[in-house]
Amino acid sequence: MTLTLQRRSSIEARATSRVAVIDIGSNSIRLVVYDELNRSPVPLFNEKIMCGLGRTVEKTGRLNPEGVTLALDNIDRFARLIDGMDVGQVEVLATAAVRDASDGAAFVSAIEQRTGLTVRTIAGEEEARLSALGVLSGTPGADGLMGDLGGGSLELVGLDRGVIGPQVTMPLGPLRLLESCGGKVSNANRIIDQHLEALPWLSGHRDRPFYPVGGSWRALAKLHMEQVGHPLHIIHHYCVPGAQMRDFAGVIARQSRSSLDKMSSVSRRRSDTLPFAALAMERLLRHVQPSMVVFSAHGLREGLLFDMLSPEIQRQDPLVSSCASLAKRIGRFAQGEIMAGWTTSLFAGEDESAGRLRRAACLLSDLGWSEHPDYRAEHAYLRVLRMPFAGIDHDERAFLALTLYIRYGGRMEDPHVAMARSLLDSANAAKANILGLTLRLGQTLTGGVVTMLQRTALSLDEETLYLILPEDVRALIGDTVQRRLDSVAKSLNRRGAIVSRS
């Protein structure tokens, strides 16, 4: 039996929950291994190789020979890594460069013979649909226009409150534009505009959000963050007013390669194509005139996994699902949902969005138990602030991080949390303080033991915050509990009182 057949049979024989996706793009090839197929899969391994397969497709109709060699070697390496990672399911997708090149089929055959993996070359419409599903997986209910810019193509998809609408794929990837325009950005305006003007349905997305996907556009987001001094360098749900992003993209499109090379956040391998990616962004935003540009870290790969889920799982909240999974992995007593119910009485009148954030904070409330006591607050704060959660914007992320910091004894005025405070208005900062102190009280009162917490309750009137508990658990009360009750009461401009019931 050959090594290839051994590898294929060993993968097929496994029953593990790990899933791997190899995404063969026009510019890069990426392997991501996820822990399991669920609403919020966690990446266990993520590696990208810049091969530039599509660099010669526009002129010669064939894949870049150097890129083919580099791609085959690295896909073989990826297959060997997958084989050692106990992966149960492997998906290999090839996109624009492979489907458009005359030797694309031969390249796919070489991969399959060399690795034993099955490669699926997807049509442009399918690539657009999966990328749109990726955006919806990370931003449920997205309403506007999705754009996925790869090295060889640009996919646009209309989104109507979470429903996929019209879609198109166009040969406007930066590698294609670089070749067809002789390396001159000024020559690409007309090509891009001709494609966009042939799409009358784009006008229906004016003054609605635009959701960019793709590595080149993520690089633009990083550059913009640096320019404006945005405090949180996380791409997902980074929001910029449409006109501001249009003007910024126009500036980047006019930069020389030497100028881009001096920018620390720009990869040297992207510096020749980034101006074309920026131009595609600028022309599209000028044509559509969206209200906001909302960057998405989720795209084709996440859409592929999302498409494999049942409708019931697809409807789950990605943030709550992530927090519940994390709590299950690292928590001690699985008290998050009970804690959410226990805190409800203090937040009467909150809307659905605020309620889900409070629920997420409760699920994370035991996040730092295993850390050194002196650093629990700081570790919990940084971990929540930088966790790859979906379904959450930067302000909401800051709210959760600040809540967990307070829950572990941090103070609102500490310099550690100045960044999170800068993203929140005074009302939400005050709410984070109240919720954090309440979680600290609940954990102290019962040690997080669900059965004990369920027998207690909080009640609020105009003057007093009451902690209500049965007579037979009065032994839970001590100086520490009273102090923490008083802290919560003070944050609510009340006094604290402990009362018993039979």
Side-chain angles (χ1 to χ4, degrees), residues 111-281:
I111 294 172
E112 294 181 339
Q113 291 178 11
R114 187 164 171 175
T115 67
L117 299 173
T118 299
V119 181
R120 180 153 56 107
T121 304
I122 59 174
E125 293 75 13
E126 176 69 355
E127 183 176 357
R129 185 184 74 87
L130 291 177
S131 294
L133 283 177
V135 170
L136 293 177
S137 75
T139 310
D143 184 62
L145 180 68
M146 188 283 305
D148 183 0
L149 184 72
S153 64
L154 169 62
E155 283 72 43
L156 297 176
V157 180
L159 299 174
D160 185 6
R161 288 172 291 184
V163 178
I164 294 177
Q167 54 195 263
V168 66
T169 182
M170 298 172 288
L172 297 180
L175 287 179
R176 286 276 182 90
L177 291 172
L178 177 66
E179 279 194 278
S180 61
C181 298
K184 296 182 178 180
V185 175
S186 58
N187 295 340
N189 279 3
R190 180 179 53 83
I191 296 174
I192 297 171
D193 288 345
Q194 283 178 343
H195 281 279
L196 296 178
E197 288 165 3
L199 303 173
W201 57 270
L202 288 181
S203 61
H205 296 279
R206 183 172 181 174
D207 294 325
R208 298 165 70 190
F210 173 59
Y211 302 91
V213 175
S216 294
W217 280 350
R218 286 195 293 270
L220 279 182
K222 291 179 181 178
L223 280 174
H224 188 269
M225 286 178 177
E226 287 187 359
Q227 185 195 58
V228 302
H230 187 71
L232 186 59
H233 279 224
I234 290 177
I235 297 298
H236 190 66
H237 225 287
Y238 176 56
C239 298
V240 185
Q244 184 184 133
M245 194 66 212
R246 178 200 65 210
D247 293 343
F248 177 75
V251 170
I252 298 301
R254 295 190 294 271
Q255 299 300 305
S256 66
R257 176 165 185 170
S258 60
S259 297
L260 292 173
D261 284 341
K262 296 175 184 177
M263 299 179 183
S264 59
S265 64
V266 177
S267 164
R268 288 185 176 274
R269 292 198 171 191
R270 283 202 190 276
S271 57
D272 58 342
T273 58
L274 189 59
F276 291 92
L279 183 67
M281 170 81 78

Side-chain angles (χ1 to χ4, degrees), residues 286 377 472 495:
R286 190 173 296 280
D472 62 336
R495 67 181 182 87

Side-chain angles (χ1 to χ4, degrees), residues 332 339 342 407 437-448 453 476-485:
R332 294 171 294 177
M339 188 73 79
W342 191 74
R407 175 263 178 271
L437 292 172
T438 306
L439 295 177
R440 188 162 175 78
L441 169 64
Q443 292 282 355
T444 300
L445 178 64
T446 65
L453 190 66
L476 293 177
I477 304 303
D479 289 343
T480 303
V481 171
Q482 184 66 61
R483 286 199 310 271
R484 292 187 178 168
L485 174 64

Side-chain angles (χ1 to χ4, degrees), residues 56-73:
T56 55
V57 171
E58 184 68 19
K59 286 188 176 180
T60 69
R62 297 175 64 82
L63 296 171
N64 174 16
E66 293 180 0
V68 167
T69 301
L70 188 60
L72 287 174
D73 288 344

